[in-house]
Amino acid sequence: MAYQPQVVDAKIVSNNPKNGLFEIVVNLKDRTSCRLIFEKDGESGEARVTHVNRLLKEPCPICRKDFLCNCMASYKEELQAQALQLVGTP
């Protein structure tokens, strides 16, 4: 069964309008927390995820490691769409 992240809560934790960077912390249905770091495109103003960091509260739901891994990076687009739908773009 393939992993399908489901964002249940999202909150903007920092916003820097000068350079267009902002961070959103999301909580997933499987109790995993992630920090999404966004940047806005200078011309179109469209936000896109540059980095995804899993916050180390629960083991990784994909590889079950209890330390740093890059598994969530492959789900950037799904996490971005769900997070921006919940909180919008600042």
Side-chain angles (χ1 to χ4, degrees):
M1 183 170 136
Y3 181 69
Q4 296 175 345
Q6 294 180 2
V7 176
V8 294
D9 185 34
K11 183 169 83 169
I12 296 174
V13 292
S14 71
N15 181 19
N16 188 344
K18 289 182 182 179
N19 59 11
L21 298 175
F22 63 98
E23 295 178 349
I24 297 177
V25 172
V26 297
N27 294 319
L28 304 177
K29 187 175 182 179
D30 59 4
R31 299 182 317 176
T32 304
S33 296
C34 295
R35 176 179 287 123
L36 306 174
I37 302 170
F38 288 84
E39 71 177 7
K40 290 184 184 176
D41 186 21
E43 296 175 2
S44 67
E46 181 180 330
R48 67 178 180 93
V49 174
T50 57
H51 300 317
V52 177
N53 297 326
R54 183 176 55 85
L55 302 176
L56 300 174
K57 296 179 181 178
E58 295 286 328
C60 177
I62 300 163
C63 66
R64 304 308 298 167
K65 291 181 181 175
D66 200 19
F67 50 90
L68 294 177
C69 66
N70 293 322
C71 296
M72 288 299 190
S74 59
Y75 297 98
K76 284 196 296 193
E77 290 79 20
E78 290 128 18
L79 293 171
Q80 171 185 336
Q82 294 177 34
L84 289 177
Q85 184 178 12
L86 287 175
V87 296
T89 304

